[in-house]
Amino acid sequence: MAISSNVDSIAPRVSIYPADKAFVGPRPSVLIFPGGGFRELTEHEGEGYARWLSSIGCHAFVLEYRLLPHRFPAPLEDARAGLEYVRHGDHGLSVDVNRVGVAGSSAGGQLAGLLMAGQVLSIETKIDDPPRPDFAILAYPLADLDLIPVGAVEALLGDLMPLKDELSPVKHLDERTCPAFVWATAQDPPGFPNALAWAESLVRIGVPVELHIYPHGSHGLGLADGVEYGAHGRAHLPHTATWTTACEAWLKAEGFLTTP
């Protein structure tokens, strides 16, 4: 499969937020996968993240990946094509192709994780060396479908339930997996154990990871800054909202984000 053949077709489903004009030269870039349980794409985890990333000097790209009733591999195909579009597409931005990351929340974190793992599903035709990101920002991300209620997994996968392990990113990580910043809250039943699973798995294979568990907040907080996008983003938890400051510091410490 030639991923590049899908680059142009994915462009209409990508919203682009260039880095603030104060930042010059080739910039680090982030492909964003909003959450929403593969049933919707929540704007506070899409446009909200993009505006924040743009303000700190990253080009941000929000991908409108395919949702149910489309099932895997459709969203994963979109994610790969989106990553190639950021690196090599005709979007007109100056991208540092060695500093292209992904950001994913909840279900979007699962997609980001599958890219990190370079996962190819058994139901796909042979794909050699799928594209991988250089870094990842994971917000209450799905790590292992065994940590999600069975009913929710069945609703997502349908007759693809035999692929449950293949679609659990932490079961397929290797030495090529990129560094990650991971966060969740202690009051988030799916987010907390999955964030721990991400951290434990990355540490086990020797990949750098920074993990933050905040005491307050439910699932799907996004920036937690109280800025509303439609029905989402209303939660304003000042301490939890400091995750973006911590993440910016991590990006700089790991060399993914530089000053203008």
Side-chain angles (χ1 to χ4, degrees), residues 106 140-143 147-149 184-185 187-196 219:
S106 190
Y140 36 90
L142 294 186
L147 298 175
I148 304 298
T185 73
Q187 295 177 328
D188 178 357
F192 176 67
N194 277 276
L196 293 183
H219 193 70

Side-chain angles (χ1 to χ4, degrees), residues 62-159:
V62 180
L63 177 65
E64 184 183 336
Y65 55 88
R66 282 173 286 179
L67 303 172
L68 294 170
H70 298 286
R71 299 188 187 273
F72 282 96
L76 181 54
E77 291 171 345
D78 292 346
R80 293 191 195 112
L83 192 58
E84 285 294 275
Y85 176 73
V86 174
R87 282 202 174 105
H88 306 298
D90 186 19
H91 44 65
L93 297 181
S94 180
V95 169
D96 182 340
V97 297
N98 296 311
R99 290 188 294 168
V100 174
V102 291
S105 302
S106 190
Q110 178 187 11
L111 273 184
L114 292 170
L115 287 186
M116 293 167 66
Q119 182 67 339
V120 177
L121 306 180
S122 59
I123 58 173
E124 297 184 272
T125 55
K126 183 173 176 56
I127 299 173
D128 295 319
D129 198 24
R132 299 201 198 196
D134 301 302
F135 62 90
I137 300 167
L138 303 175
Y140 36 90
L142 294 186
D144 186 340
L145 292 182
D146 285 332
L147 298 175
I148 304 298
V150 173
V153 179
E154 290 175 340
L156 169 63
L157 298 185
D159 59 3

Side-chain angles (χ1 to χ4, degrees), residues 46-70:
E47 181 182 349
Y49 287 6
R51 293 189 180 280
W52 159 60
L53 288 163
S54 172
S55 75
I56 65 173
C58 296
H59 297 318
F61 300 75
V62 180
L63 177 65
E64 184 183 336
Y65 55 88
R66 282 173 286 179
L67 303 172
L68 294 170
H70 298 286

Side-chain angles (χ1 to χ4, degrees):
M1 174 180 178
I3 301 293
S4 58
S5 67
N6 293 329
V7 167
D8 292 336
S9 65
I10 205 81
R13 294 192 282 126
V14 176
S15 299
I16 303 174
Y17 299 77
D20 187 274
K21 293 179 180 178
F23 300 89
V24 297
R27 299 306 305 164
S29 301
V30 182
L31 178 65
I32 301 169
F33 306 113
F38 294 100
R39 290 173 175 78
E40 63 175 333
L41 299 174
T42 55
E43 293 182 43
H44 71 309
E45 296 168 340
E47 181 182 349
Y49 287 6
R51 293 189 180 280
W52 159 60
L53 288 163
S54 172
S55 75
I56 65 173
C58 296
H59 297 318
F61 300 75
V62 180
L63 177 65
E64 184 183 336
Y65 55 88
R66 282 173 286 179
L67 303 172
L68 294 170
H70 298 286
R71 299 188 187 273
F72 282 96
L76 181 54
E77 291 171 345
D78 292 346
R80 293 191 195 112
L83 192 58
E84 285 294 275
Y85 176 73
V86 174
R87 282 202 174 105
H88 306 298
D90 186 19
H91 44 65
L93 297 181
S94 180
V95 169
D96 182 340
V97 297
N98 296 311
R99 290 188 294 168
V100 174
V102 291
S105 302
S106 190
Q110 178 187 11
L111 273 184
L114 292 170
L115 287 186
M116 293 167 66
Q119 182 67 339
V120 177
L121 306 180
S122 59
I123 58 173
E124 297 184 272
T125 55
K126 183 173 176 56
I127 299 173
D128 295 319
D129 198 24
R132 299 201 198 196
D134 301 302
F135 62 90
I137 300 167
L138 303 175
Y140 36 90
L142 294 186
D144 186 340
L145 292 182
D146 285 332
L147 298 175
I148 304 298
V150 173
V153 179
E154 290 175 340
L156 169 63
L157 298 185
D159 59 3
L160 297 180
M161 276 297 286
L163 297 183
K164 181 167 61 72
D165 284 351
E166 293 184 46
L167 291 167
S168 297
V170 295
K171 296 183 179 181
H172 306 283
L173 306 182
D174 60 23
E175 68 282 352
R176 295 180 58 197
T177 302
C178 67
F181 177 95
V182 184
W183 78 273
T185 73
Q187 295 177 328
D188 178 357
F192 176 67
N194 277 276
L196 293 183
W198 265 110
E200 291 171 351
S201 298
L202 290 168
V203 168
R204 188 179 305 119
I205 62 173
V207 172
V209 59
E210 180 164 324
L211 171 67
H212 290 256
I213 301 296
Y214 294 90
H216 303 297
S218 59
H219 193 70
L221 285 175
L223 297 177
D225 61 357
V227 177
E228 294 185 29
Y229 293 84
H232 303 283
R234 297 171 184 166
H236 186 202
L237 299 168
H239 177 56
T240 306
T242 63
W243 78 263
T244 56
T245 301
C247 185
E248 180 181 356
W250 174 80
L251 288 168
K252 291 176 178 178
E254 294 295 322
F256 299 120
L257 181 62
T258 55
T259 54

